Amino acid sequence: MERLDELKSEIRAAYDREPLDLLVKDVQLVDVYSAEIVATNIGIKNGRVVTISSTLPVQEPSAVIDGEHKYAIPGLIDAHVHIETTLLTPPALAEVIVPRGTTTMLIDPMEISNVAGLDGLLAFISGIEDLPYRILIEVSSRVPTAPGLETTGGALGVADTERLLDLDAAVSLGELDPAKIDTLSDEHLLKIIAAHKRGKIANGHAIGLFGSGLQAYAAAGLNDDHECVTFDELRARLALGMGVMVREGSSERNLDALISGVVEHGTDTRNLMFCTDDKHTSDIRAEGHINYNVNRAIELGLDPMEAIRMATLNTAQHFHIEHLLGSIAPGRCADFILSPSIDHIEPERVFLGGELAAQGGRLVASLPRIDYPDNLRHTVKLHHKLADDDFVIRSKGDSIRARVIDLIPGQIVNNAIEATLAVKDGTVVPDIEHDVLPMFCVERYGKNGNIGRALIHGFGLKKGAIAGSVSHDHHNIVVVGVDRHDMRVAVEALAEAQGGFLVVDDGAVQAILSLPLCGLMSEEKTEVVDRELAEVRKAAQSLGCPLDTPFMALSFVSLPTVPALGLTDLGLIDVLNHRIVPLPIE
Amino acid sequence: MERLDELKSEIRAAYDREPLDLLVKDVQLVDVYSAEIVATNIGIKNGRVVTISSTLPVQEPSAVIDGEHKYAIPGLIDAHVHIETTLLTPPALAEVIVPRGTTTMLIDPMEISNVAGLDGLLAFISGIEDLPYRILIEVSSRVPTAPGLETTGGALGVADTERLLDLDAAVSLGELDPAKIDTLSDEHLLKIIAAHKRGKIANGHAIGLFGSGLQAYAAAGLNDDHECVTFDELRARLALGMGVMVREGSSERNLDALISGVVEHGTDTRNLMFCTDDKHTSDIRAEGHINYNVNRAIELGLDPMEAIRMATLNTAQHFHIEHLLGSIAPGRCADFILSPSIDHIEPERVFLGGELAAQGGRLVASLPRIDYPDNLRHTVKLHHKLADDDFVIRSKGDSIRARVIDLIPGQIVNNAIEATLAVKDGTVVPDIEHDVLPMFCVERYGKNGNIGRALIHGFGLKKGAIAGSVSHDHHNIVVVGVDRHDMRVAVEALAEAQGGFLVVDDGAVQAILSLPLCGLMSEEKTEVVDRELAEVRKAAQSLGCPLDTPFMALSFVSLPTVPALGLTDLGLIDVLNHRIVPLPIE
């Protein structure tokens, strides 16, 4: 009966029969429905907007805030984000995103699900309703991503997915890749059907698709795409009834190309949204979050009302939650920003459920203390004790002609190249001069103790080893190094820390960022995580690594679904052919 | 597994790996997403659109239709309609609406529910999937409309409503009147909560609301209104985040006023839709259905694309079914019109689920034979045998000063007036000269045999009686007449016919339109129903009735929720005070 009683008091307050909890007086309300700016007041009860009226109530509100004629803009929505990329827990993330005006995150918790499965995911989201922003779930559709080519901690089958889709917090089936459509995978098509059956949508990931592949993808029931790089891609998706999430993340930066095209062609923006997908907290702090997308789009010439709609109403309508979010109107959650301008959003004050959550760029809401359970905090289990000799690649003869993964700095794809290495005492010798080093992927869920082996070009280490437990999407431990003992020490130290990024040299840990939550996230605040991340990067660079973000490179080279090659615990993966391939060229 | 197999073949067809069922070549597709006209071809499989492509498939389609460069427009949606008003069964109605381009009706089956309850409603909708148009359900929220003031055949409580909302065909909670919000009715608020809990919306009926009443109504979670008469009302609702259904029915004609305002003010149409609410088949045949709304809006200066969106995409988005309906795009039902123009829609050909359903103004789809069960076909049960003297109003003395219902021709509201009538032998004498006649409402569900009594001005009968079993929303039998014996004969003949409209004179039935399905609908075709309706009207007029539509007047004067007075089986209702009042003025 709780919601009934709440609703009654909201109605009474709207009738002016009982006091509002809060009246925000004198705002310029951005009405995303009629695309008008309205001078009015916002009345709030139980965290919901209940009145939008220029008439002041007779009943004295419990609190009154002067809106100072600022623009009241609906709270911004990130339409698609992998929250794990921030390396922060949801409470710690609040300090980064809420002061920038983001009040709702539609998260696809793919990484957590791969590590900890259904129970872990349910544990992860158990405290989200106490956060000073809203988390809604795009139920991860591919856990594991590449069945048969990797060992994961968790898996979400059709029944698990249905159970998750039934949650109030679930808004969609999470991004599904075209391969599942191309191969007519029963499991994944059943998941789409399950989402639609519940009146929920299915998110796409239509990377590079055109022509009949795109037609089939849309026909399969995928309702959007966040992988558009060109305006032509965007237009092709809109024409097939797919929503397009214009993405601006840390490495994938698509906004300028897409919005420039939209502005140039006068494209209708009704089916366009904004997302970050993957954006590091340092970038969010430096340039902004969804507010950055909105402001950049306006700079590129998009009408501010259209840009704001892309971050609010459009997303809410697309996800069938417009009756709850995406506007400032009676019945909706009282999530909004006060900004001195709409040509450039500045979230001077951010309200979440009618409470002031951030002001002047700082979080003022109190953060919940979430005690994550053991199944999230102890996810790294080595199957058996390791030896230095686990970190060698064995071969016969004096030399080996082998497949090598060639990193492309700043990209998640890589090249497949070949190299000849010396073999000594039956093991392949790292070629420091030509930067061809051994890399290992150690199964870390205590299931089988698999170790996958590969050779990689691009990390540039002259000595020591670097290792991480973030390795998409299986998140086993990956390690690259010159010295077998250092590599063993690195993996053991990571297991001891329950995950993270670290650098080992001379048999000792030089720097570490611990990520004990699923081996993916820290429980520290953003300042601590950023500092430790800088330290561990610097330590890697001091070993000779030329990359700006060596641990991101490490985390993506493990992907069995991004070409050309990937390394899982089962071995080297030829991505385009979906199969494990041997290291030696026969 | 059936849907899975279908989906697989749809995907294969989209990939051009197996033949399309149908290719409609060379159309000018009205893309309601990007608001563009696109020269292309529509590929269809299993009743769904699977390709929109200018490239022809390699696999020979099973059938090819030449679109002759006509405009392909998504099938039109009526956003709110009481199907019972047409007096036809859903199959018979197909011949009237489908050739006019309507492919989806969002029906609020309030009348059937009041007569036959949950089981009756479930029986009524059991065959709808075989119709050549789609019926989706706005689950009636007020059954009965006025608890305690009327006897109905059925009632839908909270649990029944939840069960109905769980149906795939249910898209919303049906229109709720402001009185339920004003009085904070637990039952009705729980129904709103139940709809939102399921991700479904709640339809409004915000007749005449402004100010705090409207604020409270929106805050209660009502998501739209179809009762706007003025542009100011429309604008006030949009500003509160409510959708507005622009209604053009038989008697309620709001389109010109609303759309003129929209055009004049350049109002954003995104949250606007079209509906008919109640429109008689004779009017539909004379001027059109939703195609009339679209064309009239264009005549008034609305951009054709906006007018078409109001009848398609906007409605689908509002009801959270945009992934299935409202556009011509992969994954959506293949429901569309081919029209030679978009400035004036002419549905030359109408496709439903990829099948040609109508052509040149005539239905070509075959109609399902629906055998309605007994609980829908035998709903009129008199509680006891009637006598002539049941149809008198008793009084003492020589005269009576009494309340009188004063009909207003063409409106559903009425005035409360007073009159003095002679009393003879203890019964009130009808005053033919001043047109004040007795009227009775006879309970017809066999529950209690109640007879409500009133006096009414406006029917103008000089002799005989007229009676009907359509009497909103309780649908008991109502009869007005000069002669008590004729009235008894009329009621008994209606019971015998299981409902309808009829005229009795000299103790014999002069004309009858039988409506045996729930006492509301005929099982005949529209031509038969129209002819019989004309005959029964003419017969009423031959008794002296000056009204164009006497049986509509009869059906609305029974409403206990439309001011000033209403007559139910429990007696004369003072609508604004929600109570039964005596006939005599004390």
Side-chain angles (χ1 to χ4, degrees), chain B residues 461 463-467 486 490 501-505 508-513 535-543 550-551:
Chain B
L461 301 180
K463 55 184 185 155
I466 67 172
D486 283 347
F501 300 141
L502 62 63
V503 175
V504 168
D505 191 24
V509 174
Q510 304 299 313
I512 181 166
L513 165 59
E535 286 168 3
V536 77
R537 280 178 184 160
K538 197 171 153 199
Q541 287 153 354
S542 75
L543 297 185
F551 294 96

Short mmCIF file of all heavy atoms in Angstrom, two decimals, chain B residues 461 463-467 486 490 501-505 508-513 535-543 550-551:
data_model
loop_
_atom_site.label_atom_id
_atom_site.label_comp_id
_atom_site.label_asym_id
_atom_site.label_seq_id
_atom_site.Cartn_x
_atom_site.Cartn_y
_atom_site.Cartn_z
N LEU B 461 -42.98 12.57 -27.91
CA LEU B 461 -43.90 11.52 -28.38
C LEU B 461 -45.35 11.93 -28.12
O LEU B 461 -45.69 12.43 -27.03
CB LEU B 461 -43.61 10.21 -27.66
CG LEU B 461 -42.21 9.61 -27.81
CD1 LEU B 461 -42.10 8.30 -27.03
CD2 LEU B 461 -41.88 9.37 -29.29
N LYS B 463 -47.75 9.55 -28.82
CA LYS B 463 -48.35 8.25 -28.48
C LYS B 463 -47.26 7.20 -28.49
O LYS B 463 -46.12 7.46 -28.88
CB LYS B 463 -49.46 7.89 -29.46
CG LYS B 463 -49.03 7.90 -30.93
CD LYS B 463 -50.20 7.63 -31.83
CE LYS B 463 -49.73 7.52 -33.29
NZ LYS B 463 -50.64 6.73 -34.11
N GLY B 464 -47.59 5.99 -28.03
CA GLY B 464 -46.66 4.87 -28.11
C GLY B 464 -45.48 4.98 -27.15
O GLY B 464 -45.54 5.69 -26.13
N ALA B 465 -44.42 4.28 -27.50
CA ALA B 465 -43.23 4.23 -26.63
C ALA B 465 -42.01 3.89 -27.47
O ALA B 465 -42.12 3.23 -28.51
CB ALA B 465 -43.40 3.18 -25.54
N ILE B 466 -40.86 4.35 -27.00
CA ILE B 466 -39.59 3.92 -27.61
C ILE B 466 -38.69 3.38 -26.50
O ILE B 466 -38.75 3.85 -25.35
CB ILE B 466 -38.87 5.05 -28.38
CG1 ILE B 466 -38.37 6.14 -27.44
CG2 ILE B 466 -39.79 5.64 -29.45
CD1 ILE B 466 -37.48 7.18 -28.12
N ALA B 467 -37.90 2.37 -26.82
CA ALA B 467 -37.07 1.73 -25.79
C ALA B 467 -35.74 1.30 -26.38
O ALA B 467 -35.63 1.11 -27.60
CB ALA B 467 -37.80 0.52 -25.20
N ASP B 486 -47.98 0.13 -23.86
CA ASP B 486 -46.97 0.15 -24.93
C ASP B 486 -45.56 0.05 -24.34
O ASP B 486 -44.68 -0.60 -24.92
CB ASP B 486 -47.08 1.45 -25.75
CG ASP B 486 -48.26 1.42 -26.72
OD1 ASP B 486 -48.81 0.32 -26.94
OD2 ASP B 486 -48.61 2.50 -27.24
N ALA B 490 -42.90 -2.83 -25.08
CA ALA B 490 -41.58 -2.47 -25.60
C ALA B 490 -40.48 -3.18 -24.81
O ALA B 490 -39.55 -3.77 -25.39
CB ALA B 490 -41.38 -0.96 -25.54
N PHE B 501 -32.97 -1.44 -30.26
CA PHE B 501 -33.79 -0.23 -30.21
C PHE B 501 -35.14 -0.59 -30.82
O PHE B 501 -35.17 -1.25 -31.86
CB PHE B 501 -33.18 0.89 -31.07
CG PHE B 501 -31.79 1.32 -30.65
CD1 PHE B 501 -30.84 1.62 -31.63
CD2 PHE B 501 -31.44 1.45 -29.32
CE1 PHE B 501 -29.57 2.03 -31.28
CE2 PHE B 501 -30.16 1.87 -28.96
CZ PHE B 501 -29.22 2.15 -29.94
N LEU B 502 -36.22 -0.13 -30.20
CA LEU B 502 -37.50 -0.41 -30.86
C LEU B 502 -38.54 0.64 -30.56
O LEU B 502 -38.42 1.45 -29.65
CB LEU B 502 -38.00 -1.82 -30.55
CG LEU B 502 -38.33 -2.27 -29.14
CD1 LEU B 502 -39.48 -1.48 -28.56
CD2 LEU B 502 -38.72 -3.73 -29.20
N VAL B 503 -39.62 0.57 -31.35
CA VAL B 503 -40.74 1.50 -31.26
C VAL B 503 -42.02 0.68 -31.20
O VAL B 503 -42.21 -0.25 -32.00
CB VAL B 503 -40.78 2.44 -32.50
CG1 VAL B 503 -42.02 3.33 -32.45
CG2 VAL B 503 -39.51 3.28 -32.56
N VAL B 504 -42.86 1.03 -30.24
CA VAL B 504 -44.14 0.32 -30.07
C VAL B 504 -45.27 1.34 -30.16
O VAL B 504 -45.16 2.45 -29.64
CB VAL B 504 -44.18 -0.41 -28.72
CG1 VAL B 504 -45.59 -0.91 -28.39
CG2 VAL B 504 -43.20 -1.58 -28.71
N ASP B 505 -46.32 0.92 -30.82
CA ASP B 505 -47.52 1.74 -30.84
C ASP B 505 -48.72 0.81 -30.91
O ASP B 505 -48.63 -0.27 -31.52
CB ASP B 505 -47.49 2.69 -32.06
CG ASP B 505 -48.60 3.74 -31.97
OD1 ASP B 505 -49.06 4.03 -30.83
OD2 ASP B 505 -48.97 4.27 -33.03
N ALA B 508 -48.18 -2.88 -30.34
CA ALA B 508 -47.42 -3.73 -31.27
C ALA B 508 -46.11 -3.07 -31.66
O ALA B 508 -46.02 -1.84 -31.75
CB ALA B 508 -48.25 -4.00 -32.53
N VAL B 509 -45.10 -3.90 -31.89
CA VAL B 509 -43.79 -3.38 -32.31
C VAL B 509 -43.92 -2.84 -33.74
O VAL B 509 -44.37 -3.53 -34.65
CB VAL B 509 -42.74 -4.50 -32.26
CG1 VAL B 509 -41.42 -4.01 -32.84
CG2 VAL B 509 -42.55 -4.99 -30.83
N GLN B 510 -43.51 -1.58 -33.93
CA GLN B 510 -43.59 -0.95 -35.25
C GLN B 510 -42.28 -1.09 -36.01
O GLN B 510 -42.27 -1.16 -37.24
CB GLN B 510 -43.91 0.55 -35.08
CG GLN B 510 -45.18 0.82 -34.28
CD GLN B 510 -46.42 0.23 -34.95
OE1 GLN B 510 -46.62 0.39 -36.15
NE2 GLN B 510 -47.22 -0.51 -34.19
N ALA B 511 -41.19 -1.08 -35.27
CA ALA B 511 -39.87 -1.22 -35.90
C ALA B 511 -38.88 -1.64 -34.83
O ALA B 511 -39.02 -1.28 -33.65
CB ALA B 511 -39.42 0.11 -36.51
N ILE B 512 -37.90 -2.42 -35.25
CA ILE B 512 -36.88 -2.87 -34.27
C ILE B 512 -35.53 -3.03 -34.95
O ILE B 512 -35.45 -3.48 -36.10
CB ILE B 512 -37.32 -4.21 -33.58
CG1 ILE B 512 -36.25 -4.64 -32.56
CG2 ILE B 512 -37.54 -5.30 -34.62
CD1 ILE B 512 -36.74 -5.73 -31.62
N LEU B 513 -34.50 -2.59 -34.23
CA LEU B 513 -33.12 -2.95 -34.58
C LEU B 513 -32.64 -3.86 -33.45
O LEU B 513 -32.49 -3.40 -32.31
CB LEU B 513 -32.25 -1.69 -34.67
CG LEU B 513 -30.73 -1.93 -34.68
CD1 LEU B 513 -30.30 -2.80 -35.86
CD2 LEU B 513 -29.97 -0.61 -34.70
N GLU B 535 -34.93 2.87 -40.02
CA GLU B 535 -36.36 2.53 -39.89
C GLU B 535 -36.87 2.79 -38.48
O GLU B 535 -37.97 3.33 -38.28
CB GLU B 535 -36.59 1.06 -40.25
CG GLU B 535 -36.50 0.81 -41.76
CD GLU B 535 -36.43 -0.67 -42.12
OE1 GLU B 535 -36.52 -1.52 -41.18
OE2 GLU B 535 -36.28 -0.98 -43.31
N VAL B 536 -36.06 2.43 -37.51
CA VAL B 536 -36.52 2.58 -36.14
C VAL B 536 -36.53 4.07 -35.75
O VAL B 536 -37.43 4.53 -35.03
CB VAL B 536 -35.67 1.67 -35.20
CG1 VAL B 536 -34.32 2.26 -34.91
CG2 VAL B 536 -36.41 1.33 -33.93
N ARG B 537 -35.58 4.83 -36.29
CA ARG B 537 -35.62 6.29 -36.06
C ARG B 537 -36.88 6.90 -36.68
O ARG B 537 -37.55 7.73 -36.08
CB ARG B 537 -34.39 6.95 -36.69
CG ARG B 537 -33.15 6.84 -35.86
CD ARG B 537 -31.98 7.50 -36.60
NE ARG B 537 -30.73 7.34 -35.87
CZ ARG B 537 -29.52 7.46 -36.43
NH1 ARG B 537 -29.41 7.72 -37.72
NH2 ARG B 537 -28.43 7.32 -35.69
N LYS B 538 -37.15 6.47 -37.90
CA LYS B 538 -38.30 7.02 -38.62
C LYS B 538 -39.59 6.68 -37.87
O LYS B 538 -40.51 7.51 -37.76
CB LYS B 538 -38.32 6.41 -40.03
CG LYS B 538 -39.18 7.16 -41.00
CD LYS B 538 -38.97 6.64 -42.42
CE LYS B 538 -40.24 6.88 -43.25
NZ LYS B 538 -40.27 6.02 -44.45
N ALA B 539 -39.63 5.46 -37.34
CA ALA B 539 -40.82 5.06 -36.59
C ALA B 539 -40.98 5.92 -35.35
O ALA B 539 -42.10 6.32 -34.99
CB ALA B 539 -40.72 3.58 -36.21
N ALA B 540 -39.88 6.25 -34.68
CA ALA B 540 -39.95 7.11 -33.50
C ALA B 540 -40.42 8.50 -33.91
O ALA B 540 -41.26 9.12 -33.22
CB ALA B 540 -38.58 7.20 -32.82
N GLN B 541 -39.92 8.97 -35.02
CA GLN B 541 -40.32 10.30 -35.49
C GLN B 541 -41.80 10.31 -35.88
O GLN B 541 -42.49 11.32 -35.66
CB GLN B 541 -39.41 10.74 -36.64
CG GLN B 541 -38.01 11.10 -36.12
CD GLN B 541 -36.90 10.93 -37.14
OE1 GLN B 541 -37.13 10.42 -38.25
NE2 GLN B 541 -35.69 11.31 -36.76
N SER B 542 -42.28 9.20 -36.37
CA SER B 542 -43.70 9.15 -36.76
C SER B 542 -44.61 9.21 -35.53
O SER B 542 -45.79 9.51 -35.64
CB SER B 542 -43.99 7.89 -37.59
OG SER B 542 -44.03 6.77 -36.73
N LEU B 543 -44.04 8.92 -34.35
CA LEU B 543 -44.82 9.07 -33.11
C LEU B 543 -44.75 10.50 -32.59
O LEU B 543 -45.32 10.81 -31.54
CB LEU B 543 -44.30 8.12 -32.02
CG LEU B 543 -44.40 6.62 -32.29
CD1 LEU B 543 -43.94 5.83 -31.05
CD2 LEU B 543 -45.82 6.21 -32.67
N PRO B 550 -32.99 9.83 -31.87
CA PRO B 550 -33.70 9.65 -30.59
C PRO B 550 -33.07 8.58 -29.70
O PRO B 550 -33.07 8.71 -28.48
CB PRO B 550 -35.12 9.25 -31.01
CG PRO B 550 -35.03 8.84 -32.43
CD PRO B 550 -33.87 9.58 -33.03
N PHE B 551 -32.49 7.53 -30.32
CA PHE B 551 -31.97 6.44 -29.48
C PHE B 551 -30.62 6.80 -28.87
O PHE B 551 -30.25 6.28 -27.84
CB PHE B 551 -31.92 5.14 -30.28
CG PHE B 551 -33.30 4.67 -30.63
CD1 PHE B 551 -33.86 4.98 -31.86
CD2 PHE B 551 -34.05 4.00 -29.69
CE1 PHE B 551 -35.16 4.59 -32.16
CE2 PHE B 551 -35.35 3.60 -29.98
CZ PHE B 551 -35.91 3.90 -31.22
#
